[in-house]
Amino acid sequence: MALFVFLFAVSAHAQRLTFTLSSELAKNFGPGAPHTSFTGTCQGDQDNDCLDDAMESELANKLNPRYYLDENESCGTMYTYVQIRPSAPNVDVWRVDGYVKKVYVTYFYNYPRDCQPFGGGHLGDSEHVRYLLSSTNLRTWTLENGHYWRHADQTIISGDWLSNMARGLGSDRPIVAADQNGHGSWQGEAPLSSACSSDLNIFPQRHCFNSSFAISSTWSLPPILHNVGGPDFGRLGGPERWRGGTPHLTISGTTVYTQRDGAQEYWAPKRDFCGWRCPFGGCTDCAGSLDNKIDKGAFRRQSRPITAGDNGGTTLTYQCTFTRNGGPEMANYTTWTARGRNPQGHLLYTINDIGGTHYYRLWYSAEIDQGSRWILESVAPNDWQGAPLVRCDDFYVLHGGNMVIFNACSNGVWQRCFAP
């Protein structure tokens, strides 16, 4: 036992769990792909989050955690739903460019009853876990961490720990251990332990797993009944949409519910969750709302189309100072000439400066105080759709275009320019 715990600890930084999809999760990838932000439509995307619905389903099923119940569980009936949403900005222009993209995947475990003896239990018991995953190629997604909610607290578990625990159990996915009759979400203590976690001093009476060791306990992969999509207010420039589908999600105006056994339980607006045990208004002593468990974090997309008219179609001249990798400041002059727009919708410019002519494409990112923010990439001459040679993620246009600032450039350049 002591030897095993030691081996378990030293391998805590083993490679994290990864999940590879058959296709990219977002289809706005590659330099030749259409730039869909200018039509307002993303491919294969019912819920309007610019993630491919089929790949959302594939990711949800590959990540779907092993679920462990205690051997004395009295209220084991459960209905599982999922939600997948982007966590990084400008999702409608995600493409395979080596930059990190992130998504959250939330699993909702909805029980008709909580049967724990403390307080006599209650009708309805809605539980959930949420995982953060990252990718640089939109196909292979790495588990970064997991948010585990259980009763009065929430714990964020590192991707290293979750991956190590999973591999110790011979699993290719994370695990969720539910405590007896209360169903809180736990990560387990170790493969050779039946404890819910190492912090059971908070709830010393809680029990998880159905054997003396987690590694010898039985588990299930709960069938995912429905991907609920997203709330209609989560996306800048959206709206994002719920994913309807009877009987799992019925949408009526701002009311969203799941109906079972003649009773309705509401994802929106906020109403107590009673586990489909009685009609709305006829229950007391129920669990908290499903609405409180929905992922509502804002994520950005490009909020408006851009055209060459954004600079009036004229030549712009700036007097600049720039530094490279923190070196001395140097003077520079630049003349920007709009060349229209490429098939992806990027604004195209040639820029003449003291070093010669450079070719750039850029696109709108967000509004800021007294101006707007863009993303700028240099490209090979006349290769507007080719791979970027240099990219600046912070490119600010301020005061009606009278000043521009380059920052966060991949070649270490920082530059500030004023219209003379």
Side-chain angles (χ1 to χ4, degrees), residues 6-315:
F6 172 75
L7 293 175
F8 186 78
V10 298
S11 62
H13 293 288
Q15 184 178 6
R16 292 182 177 180
L17 291 173
T18 60
F19 307 89
T20 299
L21 306 180
S22 59
S23 181
E24 288 75 7
L25 183 59
K27 291 299 186 288
N28 309 325
F29 63 94
H35 193 296
T36 58
S37 63
F38 300 100
T39 64
T41 303
C42 293
Q43 300 177 38
D45 176 34
Q46 178 185 344
D47 50 354
N48 206 28
D49 60 3
C50 283
L51 304 181
D52 182 281
D53 293 344
M55 292 304 101
E56 283 192 32
S57 178
E58 188 174 321
L59 179 59
N61 282 287
K62 287 188 173 183
L63 176 66
N64 189 18
R66 283 189 181 187
Y67 206 80
Y68 291 81
L69 287 172
D70 184 79
E71 72 273 19
N72 293 316
E73 173 62 48
S74 302
C75 289
T77 300
M78 180 181 68
Y79 303 97
T80 303
Y81 295 81
V82 71
Q83 182 188 32
I84 302 177
R85 301 178 78 237
S87 173
N90 300 330
V91 61
D92 57 337
V93 292
W94 278 9
R95 53 199 178 96
V96 180
D97 54 11
Y99 286 83
V100 174
K101 316 299 190 300
K102 295 183 179 182
V103 296
Y104 277 117
V105 183
T106 305
Y107 294 90
F108 306 93
Y109 303 121
N110 297 328
Y111 293 81
R113 281 196 63 90
D114 174 302
C115 296
Q116 59 184 318
F118 316 108
H122 52 77
L123 292 178
D125 191 17
S126 60
E127 306 288 346
H128 68 309
V129 293
R130 181 170 298 148
Y131 297 103
L132 177 66
L133 297 98
S134 66
S135 176
T136 56
N137 64 12
L138 297 175
R139 289 190 63 187
T140 298
W141 292 86
T142 299
L143 179 61
E144 296 292 336
N145 62 49
H147 297 229
Y148 281 63
W149 280 267
R150 54 282 192 104
H151 312 296
D153 79 318
Q154 171 201 352
T155 299
I156 299 177
I157 311 298
S158 74
D160 288 332
W161 201 99
L162 291 172
S163 300
N164 190 52
M165 180 67 175
R167 291 193 174 97
L169 296 176
S171 176
D172 60 352
R173 60 192 69 215
I175 75 156
V176 175
D179 59 73
Q180 177 187 336
N181 295 328
H183 310 134
S185 299
W186 303 82
Q187 73 275 15
E189 181 182 43
L192 291 184
S193 170
S194 62
C196 294
S197 80
S198 59
D199 58 355
L200 277 181
N201 58 307
I202 303 174
F203 296 109
Q205 71 278 18
R206 305 286 179 182
H207 301 283
C208 293
F209 302 102
N210 56 22
S211 180
S212 56
F213 296 146
I215 198 169
S216 57
S217 295
T218 58
W219 48 271
S220 67
L221 294 180
I224 300 170
L225 299 179
H226 194 71
N227 182 342
V228 301
D232 291 346
F233 50 81
R235 176 182 177 183
L236 178 62
E240 192 178 0
R241 292 188 290 263
W242 297 98
R243 293 181 63 172
T246 304
H248 296 300
L249 217 67
T250 299
I251 303 162
S252 178
T254 58
T255 299
V256 183
Y257 62 87
T258 298
Q259 183 162 317
R260 181 173 287 109
D261 299 327
Q264 298 173 356
E265 294 295 351
Y266 293 83
W267 298 86
K270 292 181 181 179
R271 294 178 179 173
D272 284 350
F273 176 72
C274 297
W276 300 281
R277 301 303 293 264
C278 51
F280 174 68
C283 294
T284 58
D285 192 24
C286 297
S289 172
L290 294 175
D291 182 89
N292 289 335
K293 296 175 172 59
I294 289 286
D295 177 11
K296 301 175 185 177
F299 59 91
R300 297 198 309 273
R301 59 162 288 172
Q302 293 188 2
S303 61
R304 64 178 176 88
I306 56 176
T307 68
D310 278 329
N311 76 341
T314 61
T315 295

Side-chain angles (χ1 to χ4, degrees), residues 332-398:
N332 193 11
Y333 289 88
T334 61
T335 299
W336 294 57
T337 304
R339 301 300 187 188
R341 193 172 68 184
N342 72 355
Q344 293 175 285
H346 301 129
L347 282 175
L348 304 175
Y349 287 87
T350 52
I351 300 177
N352 291 288
D353 60 15
I354 59 176
T357 301
H358 306 276
Y359 298 79
Y360 289 86
R361 62 186 179 221
L362 73 158
W363 61 91
Y364 174 84
S365 174
E367 290 299 311
I368 59 175
D369 291 342
Q370 304 182 58
S372 55
R373 178 179 171 183
W374 302 67
I375 294 173
L376 176 79
E377 291 178 337
S378 70
V379 294
N382 296 316
D383 185 13
W384 297 117
Q385 298 186 85
L389 305 178
V390 175
R391 171 164 167 158
C392 300
D393 283 273
D394 290 331
F395 171 66
Y396 298 104
V397 180
L398 301 174

